[in-house]
């Protein structure tokens, strides 16, 4: 193994260390058992470009019907994984504020459909599409969306979506002669960070900041080291108000989606949880209560039972994962030296989906 590969492997390895009864003498008469033919299983429909186009339009139509009617139950029928709690929280906040749920206008999508075996599940594809919020000027953004089908008996749902950073561009995703993209495995080692390790490395960088070993393989930015700095400022403000604050990012059980990009890189879509606890410093003062943060007021009933508030977020990301470099490869920085390429988060979304105020613990 050359020096560059060995060094990068050690960095990634270090981050991963950091989740009937008894019968009588004579048999009793037994009822006759009727055996029926086994229920036929639905025949898997191959995932094609046409199927992806159809299912994208089906989602857009049904989601808009739900949003126009303010029908949370219908909306939840068309989402899954991290999108489910986020959509539920969105409808709850709209009801809390007395506002209609946002509706979107979509442009023409670019569909990235991997060539998957029709009998292997889950099936999935990714869409990149311009959209804007109806009634809001200058609200156009690019949404990156992952759709999933878990079995032939299920229907397609939106599993993850994130908004592309206005300053970022989606890397080119090569297509074959028939128009299909190439899927990576979650354990693919041709990219800098194996896709299944991306959430853990991202969470480590958020928790430890720019001095973390994770900074050697993932770029600093608003939703990596930026989250770390936000937490430090929030914790200082909490201390000034005699409050305590903890905030811990972790990986989720939700699916990870990964596609091959040009030059041997990858596009990885994944999620994180971030759990926060705000409490009073004086735990023995049974009357002391932390104030309810406005961003989770819609998730609570207006009262704090104990002396802590627990809040949970689902955060969704799209990251560019460069090819694992050979010895001597790297990006040229201002000092003229070659530095290893790093993974970079280019799209994000998410928010709070749960807030609870547990009873005070006995001293």
């Amino acid at each position: 193994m050359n020096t560059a590969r060995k060094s990068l492997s050690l960095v990634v390895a270090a981050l991963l260390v950091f989740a009937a009864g008894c019968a009588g003498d004579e048999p009793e008469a037994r009822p006759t058992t009727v055996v029926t033919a086994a229920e036929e299983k639905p025949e898997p429909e191959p995932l094609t470009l046409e199927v992806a186009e159809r299912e994208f339009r089906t989602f857009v139509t049904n989601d808009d019907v739900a949003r126009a009617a303010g029908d949370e139950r219908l909306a939840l029928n068309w989402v899954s994984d991290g999108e489910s709690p986020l959509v539920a929280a969105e409808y709850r906040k709209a009801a809390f504020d007395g506002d209609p749920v946002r509706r979107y206008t979509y442009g023409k999508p670019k569909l990235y459909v991997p060539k998957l075996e029709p009998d292997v599940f889950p099936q999935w594809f990714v869409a990149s599409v311009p959209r804007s919020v109806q009634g809001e000027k200058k609200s156009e953004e690019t949404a990156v969306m992952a759709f999933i089908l878990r079995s032939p008996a299920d229907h397609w749902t939106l599993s993850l979506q994130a908004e592309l950073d206005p300053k970022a561009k989606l890397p080119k995703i090569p297509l074959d002669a028939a128009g299909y993209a190439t899927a990576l495995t979650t354990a693919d080692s041709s990219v800098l960070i194996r896709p299944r390790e991306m959430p853990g490395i991202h969470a480590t960088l958020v928790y430890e900041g720019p001095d973390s070993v994770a900074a050697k393989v993932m770029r600093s930015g608003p939703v990596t080291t930026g989250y770390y700095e936000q937490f430090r400022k929030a914790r200082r403000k909490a201390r000034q108000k005699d409050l305590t604050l903890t905030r811990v990012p972790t990986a989720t059980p939700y699916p990870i989606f990964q596609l091959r990009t040009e030059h041997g890189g990858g596009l990885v879509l994944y999620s994180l949880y971030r759990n926060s606890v705000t409490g009073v410093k004086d735990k023995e003062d049974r009357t002391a209560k932390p104030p309810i943060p406005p961003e989770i007021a819609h998730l609570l009933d207006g009262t704090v039972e104990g002396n802590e508030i627990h809040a949970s977020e689902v955060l969704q990301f799209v990251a560019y994962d460069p090819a694992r470099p050979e010895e001597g490869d790297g990006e040229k920085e201002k000092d003229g030296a070659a530095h290893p390429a790093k993974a970079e988060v280019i799209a994000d979304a998410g928010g709070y989906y749960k807030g609870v105020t547990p009873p005070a613990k006995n001293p």
Side-chain angles (χ1 to χ4, degrees), residues 61-101:
T61 299
N62 286 286
D63 181 64
D64 188 59
V65 169
R67 289 174 179 273
D71 191 334
E72 178 183 346
R73 177 177 292 185
L74 177 59
L76 290 174
N77 187 56
W78 295 100
V79 294
S80 60
D81 304 314
E83 278 298 293
S84 292
L86 289 174
V87 167
E90 181 183 3
Y91 275 74
R92 186 167 179 176
K93 189 175 190 312
F96 180 85
D97 294 337
D99 295 329
V101 182

Side-chain angles (χ1 to χ4, degrees), residues 270-284:
Y270 60 98
S271 303
L272 290 178
Y273 286 135
R274 189 166 58 164
N275 300 309
S276 305
V277 178
T278 303
V280 298
K281 282 186 178 180
D282 187 359
K283 302 297 184 182
E284 295 183 358

Side-chain angles (χ1 to χ4, degrees), residues 239-251:
R239 287 171 177 169
Q240 294 170 0
K241 299 177 182 179
D242 292 327
L243 299 172
T244 61
L245 175 64
T246 61
R247 189 172 291 165
V248 180
T250 63

Side-chain angles (χ1 to χ4, degrees), residues 98-155:
D99 295 329
V101 182
R102 291 180 302 175
R103 297 174 64 186
Y104 295 101
T105 298
Y106 290 85
K108 181 176 178 57
K110 293 182 180 178
L111 301 177
Y112 302 103
V113 184
K115 196 69 174 177
L116 304 174
E117 294 297 328
D119 56 347
V120 176
F121 288 86
Q123 301 272 303
W124 57 273
F125 67 90
V126 172
S128 172
V129 59
R131 73 177 183 188
S132 58
V133 179
Q134 293 184 18
E136 293 186 16
K137 295 182 179 179
K138 299 181 179 180
S139 62
E140 183 170 318
E141 61 192 6
T142 298
V144 184
M145 311 165 78
F147 294 84
I148 192 168
L149 178 69
R150 284 186 163 78
S151 77
D154 291 332
H155 65 270

Side-chain angles (χ1 to χ4, degrees), residues 275-309:
N275 300 309
S276 305
V277 178
T278 303
V280 298
K281 282 186 178 180
D282 187 359
K283 302 297 184 182
E284 295 183 358
D285 184 354
R286 312 292 285 187
T287 64
K289 309 282 186 182
I292 296 176
E295 60 268 23
I296 63 168
H298 62 289
L299 301 173
L300 301 171
D301 61 4
T303 62
V304 178
E305 184 175 358
N307 50 30
E308 291 182 346
I309 298 175

Side-chain angles (χ1 to χ4, degrees), residues 41-55:
K41 294 182 179 179
E43 187 70 23
E45 179 183 33
L47 173 56
T48 64
L49 301 176
E50 292 74 21
V51 168
E53 172 72 22
R54 181 193 72 201
E55 294 304 328

